[in-house]
């Protein structure tokens, strides 16, 4: 076990954390007004808190200005963005001046194509600089960006284009993956031809990632590069109200149909800046690498808006973790002296499988802060990441948050909040989590319950696109007065939070409430099991019974089921022993790498007729494989 943190290496101390928390508690209005000052406002807000009209409601500002223009006085020549291609020798470095110029050019092209404030612009790109540039160009004009994950199918794209009413799309001819080419433009063409009557797309701008030609539709499609070359390198900013939408983004769809979450400008950007600085201990000279695709909220807040509003240096990596050989990510960290590395438990599980010798070949001593997001992380994966990658020297931030929250809500603060492996630990100053019982009564002390947030915070989403009523019923109505997260959590005697999974995934066996994460944690400690998911299914006697899907390191291992049962009995308890353990080749995952339990539950219950929307799955074929295994 490593030391929890190196005293002195980080900006904040435990006393600082307490002082901030107390200040936020004592006078929230003053605290948030103060935090709002991290931004440059055109008209400074006279109030901070949301009293029904939104955060910083009478303030005006521009997000693109805050991420670019305001840095030009002090750090025009500092690197804003490092783009690392798959090939080690291919690197592009953009200073704040360069990035500002690129954003202005693209904003002018968008304006020439009729884009005005409030219009929706869809961005569908591989990991290229133009992704970041497109977001900031939209923000400059007050247009609302809708970033679509690059791996979406034509159906998934068409759904989101129709729902958002996007009038312009920015895509690429292709994406690169080793020698392979990913057909971005033709995928978009298919999406656009699927149900043309429900789409409003008038223009498609195409980034040339390679010189491969692609079919172009005259009058609709334009290659972007020539237009950028002839566009002006300066572009005025649009003055936006704090509560004007900055972007809309669809949730990853782990629990059902993705929701178009709308984020505002002033509150969201304050939150992005505040949380990026606090949680990642942002310091001058840091090289910040968040491996999330910009198609997810993590990419929005911690590739673009957080680090750039704070004047940081961001790394974008085009390639994959283990291509052309295992260790590629570690090579990138070494080459760019990455200080802050933020990724997902799912990626760590995959990298762990490659063993310890691979990372040991690289110098990873530049790292100061390691972070994860997206799912509970097992104690085993936590310790591996901390020890083998962090060398036991780094702060480890297990960050809990959601698309709807805009940024991190519960997480350690380096140097200030002592970690416990696999706990998201304590709320950030100013965030007030509470645990409630099924009836909504707040629970005190060390306990377990439904995780809600009391009151609001600047980063909270404004609404669901086109569906204010759904926003109310999903988040505000279930436990009146509180924001309902959909997640369950346990609070220990130190007040630390341990996320137990979605409330729907808390399994109640004969009155024992068991978080799916507890069972999965027990199995993760077994070397023979790579990954697992525990699901509750109806049971005549016990109320609910448990079914486990497990991926084996070596499927020919003779006693995997017995091994799993013993591990659960020993680590959780006999009452948590599953009815059935299915050994499967893989689990159904969203494209962001999250397990889709809703499907595993339906398959375990034999309800295979109405499996619902499969468009968010990374590999839809796994569904048939699971059905075959379960039905024996
Ligand atoms: P949908 O809302 O469409 O079902 P989703 O909830 O997977 O999709 P996201 O907003 O990307 O979409 O994910 C947020 C959820 O991810 C959280 O509500 C929580 O369940 C899980 N999560 C995020 N970070 C953590 C973490 N550090 N520990 C445990 N769970 C986490
Ligand atoms: Mg969700």
């Amino acid at each position: 076990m490593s030391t929890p943190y190196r005293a002195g290496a980080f900006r904040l101390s435990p006393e600082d954390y307490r002082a901030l928390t107390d200040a936020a508690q004592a006078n929230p209005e003053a605290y948030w007004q103060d935090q709002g000052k991290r931004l440059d406002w055109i008209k400074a807000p006279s109030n901070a808190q949301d009293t029904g009209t939104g955060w910083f409601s009478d303030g005006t500002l521009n997000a693109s200005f805050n991420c670019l223009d305001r840095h030009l006085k002090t750090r025009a020549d500092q690197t804003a963005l490092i783009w690392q291609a798959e090939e080690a020798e291919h690197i592009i470095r953009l200073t704040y001046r360069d990035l500002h110029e690129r954003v202005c050019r693209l904003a002018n092209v968008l304006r020439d194509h009729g884009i005005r404030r409030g219009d929706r612009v869809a961005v569908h790109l591989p990991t290229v600089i133009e992704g970041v540039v497109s977001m900031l160009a939209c923000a400059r004009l007050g247009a609302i960006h809708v970033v679509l994950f690059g791996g979406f199918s034509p159906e998934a794209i068409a759904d989101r284009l129709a729902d958002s009413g996007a009038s312009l799309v920015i895509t690429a001819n292709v994406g690169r993956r080793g020698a392979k080419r990913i057909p971005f433009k033709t995928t978009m063409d298919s999406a656009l031809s699927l149900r043309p009557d429900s789409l409003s797309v008038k223009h498609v701008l195409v980034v040339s990632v390679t010189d491969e030609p692609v079919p172009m539709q005259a009058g609709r499609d334009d290659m972007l590069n020539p237009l950028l070359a002839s566009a002006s390198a300066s572009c005025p900013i649009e003055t936006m109200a704090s509560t004007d939408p900055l972007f809309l983004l669809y949730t990853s769809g782990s629990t059902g149909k993705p929701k178009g979450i709308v984020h505002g400008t002033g509150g969201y950007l304050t939150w992005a800046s505040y949380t990026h600085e606090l949680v990642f201990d942002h310091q001058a000279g840091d090289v910040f690498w968040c491996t999330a695709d910009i198609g997810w909220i993590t990419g929005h807040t911690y590739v673009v808006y957080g680090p750039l509003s704070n004047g940081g240096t961001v790394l974008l990596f085009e390639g994959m973790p283990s291509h052309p050989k295992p260790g590629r990510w570690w090579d990138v960290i070494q080459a760019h002296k990455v200080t802050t590395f933020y990724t997902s438990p799912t990626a760590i599980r995959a990298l762990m499988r490659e063993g310890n010798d691979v990372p040991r070949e690289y110098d990873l001593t530049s790292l100061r802060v390691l972070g994860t997001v997206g799912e509970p992380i097992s104690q085993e994966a936590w310790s591996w990441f901390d020890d083998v990658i962090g060398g036991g020297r780094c702060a480890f931030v297990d960050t809990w948050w959601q698309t709807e929250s805009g940024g991190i809500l519960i997480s350690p603060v380096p140097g200030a909040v002592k970690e416990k492996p696999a706990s998201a630990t304590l709320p950030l100053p100013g965030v007030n989590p509470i645990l409630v019982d099924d009836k909504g009564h707040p629970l005190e002390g060390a306990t377990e319950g439904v995780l809600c947030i009391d009151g609001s915070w600047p980063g909270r989403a404004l609404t669901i696109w086109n569906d204010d009523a759904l926003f109310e019923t999903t988040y505000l109505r279930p436990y009146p007065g509180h924001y309902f997260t959909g997640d369950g959590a346990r609070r220990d005697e130190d007040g630390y939070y341990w996320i137990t999974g979605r409330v729907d995934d808390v399994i109640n066996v004969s009155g024992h409430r068991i978080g799916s994460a507890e069972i999965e944690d027990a199995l993760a400690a077994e070397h023979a099991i790579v990954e697992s998911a525990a699901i509750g299914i109806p049971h005549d006697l016990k109320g609910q019974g448990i079914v486990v899907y497990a991926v084996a390191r070596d499927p020919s291992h003779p006693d995997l089921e017995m091994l799993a049962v013993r591990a659960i009995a020993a680590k959780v308890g006999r009452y948590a022993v599953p009815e059935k353990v299915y050994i499967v080749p893989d689990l159904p995952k969203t494209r962001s790498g999250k397990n889709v339990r809703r499907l595993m539950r339906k398959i375990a219950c034999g309800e295979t007729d109405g499996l619902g929307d499969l468009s968010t799955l990374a590999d839809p074929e796994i569904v048939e494989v699971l059905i075959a295994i379960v039905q024996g």
Side-chain angles (χ1 to χ4, degrees):
M1 191 73 252
S2 62
T3 47
Y5 51 78
R6 293 173 301 161
F10 302 104
R11 289 187 320 117
L12 298 186
S13 67
E15 293 70 39
D16 296 327
Y17 171 80
R18 263 194 303 278
L20 289 173
T21 301
D22 291 348
Q25 196 76 36
N27 189 343
E29 177 61 23
Y31 186 79
W32 294 123
Q33 278 195 21
D34 220 34
Q35 293 304 333
K37 294 183 183 137
R38 31 178 79 248
L39 303 184
D40 279 15
W41 298 83
I42 297 166
K43 175 178 176 293
S46 62
N47 66 303
Q49 284 174 294
D50 181 2
T51 51
T53 49
W55 281 88
F56 307 106
S57 56
D58 64 352
T60 64
L61 76 167
N62 182 283
S64 184
F65 180 92
N66 274 278
C67 291
L68 299 168
D69 308 49
R70 67 159 168 169
H71 300 313
L72 296 181
K73 275 175 281 174
T74 50
R75 44 171 70 93
D77 295 318
Q78 181 202 305
T79 304
L81 211 132
I82 305 168
W83 183 79
Q84 170 67 64
E86 256 188 11
E87 302 86 358
E89 65 284 0
H90 188 182
I91 297 165
I92 298 174
R93 284 196 180 77
L94 297 184
T95 63
Y96 272 95
R97 182 185 291 111
D98 300 332
L99 187 60
H100 175 260
E101 183 184 321
R102 290 210 190 197
V103 168
C104 287
R105 285 183 192 276
L106 180 55
N108 284 322
V109 172
L110 292 177
R111 205 175 24 216
D112 291 345
H113 282 74
I115 295 300
R116 299 289 179 269
R117 61 187 296 149
D119 292 345
R120 275 80 64 209
V121 172
V123 178
H124 175 246
L125 290 169
T127 305
V128 290
I129 292 168
E130 284 81 356
V132 177
V133 172
S134 297
M135 291 164 72
L136 294 172
C138 288
R140 211 162 178 85
L141 301 179
I144 301 171
H145 55 73
V146 187
V147 185
L148 305 174
F149 173 61
F152 281 147
S153 64
E155 289 78 17
I157 295 172
D159 283 348
R160 289 161 178 78
L161 290 176
D163 188 67
S164 64
S167 56
L168 185 148
V169 170
I170 303 173
T171 189
N173 59 340
V174 294
R176 306 184 329 141
R177 184 144 289 186
K180 258 177 52 186
R181 293 291 172 264
I182 309 187
F184 272 78
K185 174 64 163 62
T186 51
T187 302
M188 183 53 71
D189 287 341
S190 315
L192 292 173
S193 65
L194 271 180
R195 34 183 161 327
D197 294 345
S198 62
L199 303 185
S200 343
V201 175
K202 294 188 192 61
H203 298 286
V204 177
L205 301 177
V206 183
V207 174
S208 317
V209 171
T210 63
D211 47 23
E212 252 122 310
V214 283
M216 299 289 280
Q217 184 176 311
R220 188 194 70 182
D221 304 349
D222 284 299
M223 295 310 293
L224 189 55
N225 288 18
L227 298 175
L228 290 172
S230 60
S232 160
S234 73
C235 173
I237 52 166
E238 193 75 13
T239 299
M240 306 305 288
S242 176
T243 53
D244 280 335
L246 176 60
F247 63 85
L248 80 95
L249 181 69
Y250 292 86
T251 56
S252 59
S254 307
T255 57
K257 188 172 179 295
K259 303 173 277 286
I261 300 297
V262 183
H263 277 288
T265 306
Y268 169 81
L269 198 60
T270 300
W271 200 246
S273 164
Y274 175 70
T275 56
H276 168 258
E277 182 177 288
L278 266 183
V279 175
F280 299 105
D281 186 57
H282 174 61
Q283 299 185 19
D286 279 359
V287 177
F288 188 86
W289 185 16
C290 164
T291 64
D293 188 275
I294 58 159
W296 308 122
I297 189 69
T298 308
H300 280 56
T301 308
Y302 301 110
V303 173
V304 182
Y305 289 110
L308 295 179
S309 66
N310 288 338
T313 299
V314 173
L315 176 84
L316 275 183
F317 176 47
E318 181 194 33
M320 290 168 290
S322 303
H323 180 89
K325 64 181 183 99
R328 185 70 183 100
W329 268 10
W330 317 133
D331 188 35
V332 171
I333 291 175
Q334 172 180 280
H336 296 284
K337 299 199 165 43
V338 171
T339 56
T340 321
F341 181 54
Y342 190 33
T343 190
S344 64
T346 205
I348 294 170
R349 285 193 296 268
L351 293 163
M352 261 171 83
R353 282 191 227 183
E354 297 174 358
N356 296 356
D357 292 342
V358 174
R360 292 222 163 104
E361 281 174 38
Y362 300 89
D363 178 3
L364 305 178
T365 53
S366 57
L367 290 170
R368 197 175 82 245
V369 181
L370 302 177
T372 60
V373 60
E375 284 179 286
I377 182 164
S378 68
Q379 301 223 354
E380 197 206 12
W382 194 102
S383 299
W384 184 85
F385 196 32
D386 181 54
D387 181 32
V388 178
I389 305 308
R393 289 177 315 274
C394 297
F396 192 126
V397 293
D398 171 2
T399 64
W400 175 85
W401 59 296
Q402 328 179 283
T403 308
E404 299 87 336
S405 74
I408 296 162
L409 294 179
I410 304 182
S411 165
V413 173
V417 172
K418 191 169 169 164
E419 298 132 7
K420 292 187 190 182
S423 169
T425 76
L426 297 175
L428 297 186
V431 176
N432 300 302
I434 54 168
L435 297 180
V436 301
D437 66 15
D438 298 342
K439 300 194 182 56
H441 300 130
L443 302 165
E444 300 297 327
T447 185
E448 189 176 330
V450 174
L451 178 62
C452 291
I453 309 293
D454 192 24
S456 190
W457 65 98
R460 203 194 78 186
L462 303 180
T463 187
I464 294 175
W465 186 252
N466 279 336
D467 209 340
D468 295 339
L470 184 62
F471 188 80
E472 290 277 324
T473 54
T474 309
Y475 306 107
L476 306 180
R477 207 67 62 66
Y479 298 96
H482 311 305
Y483 168 89
F484 169 56
T485 68
D487 289 339
R490 180 166 70 77
R491 187 169 51 218
D492 71 14
E493 51 298 335
D494 296 323
Y496 277 39
Y497 288 87
W498 303 73
I499 308 299
T500 49
R502 319 282 174 148
V503 175
D504 297 346
D505 301 330
V506 175
I507 308 168
N508 194 325
V509 181
S510 310
H512 297 283
R513 289 167 58 82
I514 307 162
S516 44
E518 290 177 67
I519 298 177
E520 291 153 19
D521 243 30
L523 293 174
E526 289 300 320
H527 183 73
I529 294 171
V530 172
E531 193 178 5
S532 68
I535 307 291
I537 58 163
H539 188 284
D540 286 345
L541 297 176
K542 305 177 185 168
Q544 276 190 303
I546 298 169
V547 162
V548 166
Y549 293 85
V551 180
R553 198 172 298 274
D554 168 14
S556 66
H557 189 296
D559 294 316
L560 285 166
E561 289 163 37
M562 193 36 99
L563 191 92
V565 166
R566 285 216 190 97
I568 294 167
K571 298 224 176 61
V572 187
R574 293 238 32 109
Y575 60 90
V577 163
E579 310 298 318
K580 191 80 195 119
V581 177
Y582 297 113
I583 306 299
V584 294
D586 207 347
L587 303 176
K589 288 184 189 300
T590 62
R591 289 165 192 276
S592 54
K594 294 183 191 196
N595 294 333
V596 186
R597 292 165 197 284
R598 140 184 88 83
L599 286 176
M600 291 190 264
R601 188 177 305 120
K602 286 197 166 170
I603 293 170
C605 296
E607 297 165 13
T608 49
D609 288 341
L611 291 178
D613 183 8
L614 300 183
S615 71
T616 60
L617 288 189
D619 171 22
E621 278 163 26
I622 193 70
V623 170
E624 289 303 321
V625 177
L626 293 199
I627 292 174
I629 292 174
V630 169
Q631 297 184 345

